[in-house]
Amino acid sequence: PVLLLVLLAVFRSPVAATLPLVLSGFSILVTLAILSLLTSVVAIDIFSLQVVTGLGVGLAIDYSLFVLARYRIEMRRDDGYERAHARTIATAGHAVLFGALTVAAALAALIAFPQQFLSSTGIAGALVATFSGIAALLVLPALLALLGPRVDPGWERAVDRSAPEPDPLSGGSYFWTRISERMMRHPVPWASLALLAMLAVAAPTLGGSVTTPDARALPESAGARIVADRAATEFENGNPTRLGVWLPAKADRAKTQAAIEELTRGDEAPVASPPRKLADGSWYVDVVAPVDPLSEAGQDLVDAARAAPFPSGALVGGRAAELTDQRASIAASAPLVIGIVVLTNLLLVLAMVRSLILPLVSIALNALTVLAAYGLMVAAFQSESVAELLGAGAQDGIDVSVPVLAFAVVFGLSTDYGIFLFSRIAEARRSGMSEPEAITAGISRTGRLITSAAVIFAIAVGANVFSDLVIVKEFALAVAIAVILDATIVRGVLVPSILRMLGARAWWPGG
């Protein structure tokens, strides 16, 4: 209902406002059907369903919004809706194609992670991004062909109907036109203020840490959460770090005992049990310390146990060790995933905007948006007062998988919005406008659309902030706020200011 109201405010037409919701239903249902088939060959994590729902609604509406808005502009040229239809697909459809590819590529990169949670979410996200693009490029044009003028072209009142062939780049937002004109005169101060604002939002990143879920990620009313809280508060050392050290059957007993003594030396050292022989002849040592297993002290204990001079072949496990290994595994795969995301986005922007510099600018600004998203997560969920407003307790750290998921989604979406903006500026340049005029025209024609798309996407994904699970809240808040920042501060201020400072050097000749 909220999305429908926003779409009515954007289009001022019930027919046009309903179409994006129909397309989101199409993309979600098709994606879920394919995921259902894939479960016979690959494990799909249940969190993927929420990703499909949130992204499916947000992306399908975003893409159809871009297509519908251009279609209604083209309808004002009074040469028939068939030609308006063709011009829409050749312009906005081209941008949507590259936008959908960037988001799908960014999410598909998550498949490189060995964690099932991340890889299956990457599969689901890439599928829903692909089918959201297909819905906007194939299903929506078919619906437009059926509806024709009934889509109601009266939304673009700013276009001069007295002109024989109105310029599709005219009639932009008054607000964004005035802002852009000021930026064209003073690009450096505007860019500096916007950059400082984004860095301020990203600053909490320096104090952030990552962890993994336990019972504290559940609602306070859940049975597992109640038991865990009572055990931690009413029993001495109710939530200790418990490590298990496994040793092969032929492990040297003297070396084992020496390692235990070294590990348990000191006033605040952990307590270790004598080696216990298992049924298969191997040995097992319990190591217990009165520290939270997911705290940094718990991680230090894992490092100490693994550094102790146990015989060759010794393995250290336990809740704290799981977090250590998960961090190490994600860190090992992260460079590959980041490389795939950056390279695919770089190539797609390069192919779309015909520029060597703009893809690099896009990558840098996307990274800034990702840092801002992480900073917001840290500020919100590691602060008691803010976390309580969001229906959660203060967290010791952000779930280790959430920054990875947010990176892929935010990076892809940021590139998506950037492509749409760049394409309109390039179109204005090709029409003969000067550099400042082209930037102003592009911003004025896309500012309201990109902002509306970001608000709609933030509502679709941000609704998951009301989930009972902290991990879902973290992901929803990070992505929702990040797209708003990207659509306003980054695409509305930083990009045009930087383009103005670069001038024609940002583009290939004729680009």
Side-chain angles (χ1 to χ4, degrees), residues 199-291:
L199 291 175
V201 175
T205 298
L206 299 174
S209 60
V210 292
T211 184
T212 193
D214 62 4
R216 287 166 289 187
L218 296 170
E220 293 184 358
S221 59
R225 173 69 182 270
I226 293 172
V227 172
D229 289 346
R230 293 284 294 273
T233 57
E234 297 189 18
F235 293 89
E236 185 178 359
N237 303 330
N239 188 34
T241 295
R242 310 185 71 93
L243 299 179
V245 181
W246 178 90
L247 300 119
K250 297 181 179 180
D252 187 284
R253 294 294 301 276
K255 285 186 177 180
T256 300
Q257 189 59 40
I260 291 174
E261 291 176 359
E262 180 175 320
L263 180 62
T264 57
R265 187 180 297 124
D267 295 335
E268 298 182 0
V271 176
S273 68
R276 176 163 50 94
K277 194 170 186 178
L278 303 179
D280 62 355
S282 59
W283 299 86
Y284 191 84
V285 178
D286 282 308
V287 179
V288 182
V291 295

Side-chain angles (χ1 to χ4, degrees), residues 8 10 42 53 72 79 89 96 123 206 230 258 261 311 317 374 448:
L8 283 170
V10 172
V42 64
T53 304
R72 299 179 72 186
D79 56 357
I89 300 306
V96 166
I123 294 171
L206 299 174
R230 293 284 294 273
E261 291 176 359
Y374 184 66
R448 180 169 61 178

